Amino acid sequence: MKSRFVSLTPLLVGALSLGINAHADIVFSTLSTATQTLSSPAFGGAVPITSRGIQVFTFNVATNFANVTSAFQGNDLPDPAGSGQTVTYDLYNTATTGTITQNASGKFDIAFSLLFELKVTSGLAAGLTFETKTISHFNATNVIDLPFKLPVAFTDPGPNSDTVPILIKFDPSGQTPVGTVVGTSSGRTVTTPEPASMILSAIGMIGLTAMMYRRNRAA
């Protein structure tokens, strides 16, 4: 993902293409949850972390094209500076290739291959950025609807590709050289619930109905 954060306004615009047109892009957003285990002496060993944020999906069934940009945030990463506290962080993908195919049952099989980064945003280690240079895989099979109407879990099909090294991309202290391998990431799962755009649209409709009701009562 080029930009690390996504405002809701363009998401709502993109989410207007909710109907499936075989020759057009289907664009929608979700509020998603990402889990993984980071193993590194910097974090005191193997630690599971959970982050949440907005993802924007783009699919074209006719060309089998799939893309996703993610902007997750979490607050459960052990402080790499060794304070004994946890710190906040941004988690985002930096490069993505993907495919979507319709299987014999008429459902969708989706695969993403991506790189990601994690940036510490609080504490003494704020600015410390980790990256991956080994592709991570996220697959979901037999997806019923586009946009997703039910939760969809994207997981690494593994087992040989599940564990990837994490490297230093930037160390504000200058103590660790760029490119140093400091640990691994494994057990990555991203779960997408109801699309954020649908939730926001529903809230908007409720607000509009209430406003019209108040106007009618005042008339």
Side-chain angles (χ1 to χ4, degrees):
M1 188 183 72
K2 301 301 182 183
S3 59
R4 295 174 183 174
F5 298 98
V6 185
S7 68
L8 291 179
T9 302
L11 293 185
L12 290 176
V13 174
L16 293 177
S17 352
L18 296 181
I20 295 180
N21 182 329
H23 300 286
D25 285 347
I26 304 161
V27 183
F28 61 95
S29 60
T30 65
L31 292 173
S32 303
T33 300
T35 61
Q36 64 176 304
T37 295
L38 297 181
S39 301
S40 172
F43 311 129
V47 293
I49 62 171
T50 300
S51 55
R52 295 176 175 84
I54 293 173
Q55 291 186 289
V56 180
F57 291 90
T58 303
F59 296 115
N60 191 305
V61 178
T63 62
N64 304 123
F65 172 82
N67 186 61
V68 63
T69 58
S70 308
F72 296 107
Q73 294 182 320
N75 59 11
D76 56 354
L77 183 72
D79 190 350
S83 69
Q85 305 297 315
T86 57
V87 294
T88 59
Y89 57 92
D90 298 333
L91 177 67
Y92 42 89
N93 60 295
T94 56
T96 307
T97 59
T99 60
I100 181 169
T101 56
Q102 200 158 13
N103 59 36
S105 64
K107 300 174 183 177
F108 300 100
D109 297 332
I110 304 168
F112 291 114
S113 299
L114 56 84
L115 302 176
F116 65 87
E117 294 181 4
L118 185 151
K119 180 179 180 180
V120 178
T121 55
S122 70
L124 294 176
L128 179 63
T129 306
F130 304 93
E131 67 176 346
T132 61
K133 291 190 175 181
T134 302
I135 292 293
S136 295
H137 303 281
F138 292 85
N139 288 21
T141 58
N142 293 315
V143 176
I144 299 174
D145 297 299
L146 297 177
F148 309 138
K149 293 182 180 178
L150 297 173
V152 175
F154 288 88
T155 59
D156 193 306
N160 295 329
S161 61
D162 177 64
T163 300
V164 299
I166 53 175
L167 301 81
I168 294 292
K169 181 178 182 180
F170 175 71
D171 181 1
S173 72
Q175 295 179 1
T176 308
V178 172
T180 301
V181 176
V182 293
T184 61
S185 164
S186 62
R188 294 173 299 280
T189 299
V190 174
T191 303
T192 66
E194 288 287 332
S197 54
M198 287 186 172
I199 296 171
L200 292 171
S201 294
I203 293 173
M205 287 300 294
I206 292 171
L208 179 60
T209 301
M211 181 180 67
M212 293 176 65
Y213 175 75
R214 288 193 298 268
R215 285 181 178 176
N216 288 338
R217 285 185 56 105

